[in-house]
Amino acid sequence: QVQLVESGGGLVQAGGSLRLSCVASRSIVKITGMGWFRQAPGKQRELVARISTGGSTNYQDSVKGRFTISTGNARNTVILQMNSLKPEDTGVYYCNVYNGQNLAGSWGQGTQVTVSS
């Protein structure tokens, strides 16, 4: 599996912004996309946004218009720009990579995002 390292989380007030970064290790499988997930306190991990290698994107309805997923300068890097943050965005954010419809990376430690009201 691909190894992933997330960074960029922190404590921010409601309405603020954070930029999360994820770096994936070299993979022997074909990577067709990357995604960001989050796990809120007491809840299951959920998909927040994903981007294909072709550049198409998908977002969870609750973050549309506020979050933007993009690839970094390196092909194995993905960014999540989060604006207009809300307390309900609080959680641990993880990235992963796709091989077709399958996740191909090992879940990392994630990066904590805390939004205060």
Side-chain angles (χ1 to χ4, degrees):
Q1 288 187 305
V2 178
Q3 304 300 308
L4 301 137
V5 179
E6 303 93 345
S7 63
L11 175 64
V12 65
Q13 65 182 12
S17 298
L18 285 172
R19 178 182 170 92
L20 307 184
S21 297
C22 169
V23 179
S25 66
R26 184 174 62 180
S27 176
I28 63 172
V29 303
K30 182 179 180 180
I31 302 302
T32 60
M34 302 185 76
W36 281 98
F37 302 75
R38 69 185 177 192
Q39 187 169 21
K43 297 184 178 180
Q44 194 166 3
R45 183 156 45 206
E46 63 182 357
L47 177 66
V48 176
R50 61 185 177 185
I51 184 168
S52 74
T53 54
S56 62
T57 58
N58 296 94
Y59 297 91
Q60 184 189 99
D61 286 344
S62 66
V63 308
K64 287 181 178 178
R66 300 188 298 118
F67 291 10
T68 303
I69 188 170
S70 62
T71 56
N73 188 41
R75 192 171 181 85
N76 65 334
T77 303
V78 64
I79 306 297
L80 186 67
Q81 178 66 47
M82 306 187 295
N83 299 324
S84 302
L85 283 162
K86 304 175 180 179
E88 49 263 47
D89 295 318
T90 293
V92 180
Y93 283 68
Y94 304 85
C95 63
N96 216 313
V97 296
Y98 289 87
N99 173 240
Q101 297 183 35
N102 300 317
L103 293 177
S106 298
W107 295 111
Q109 292 296 110
T111 185
Q112 176 71 46
V113 171
T114 303
V115 184
S116 62
S117 59

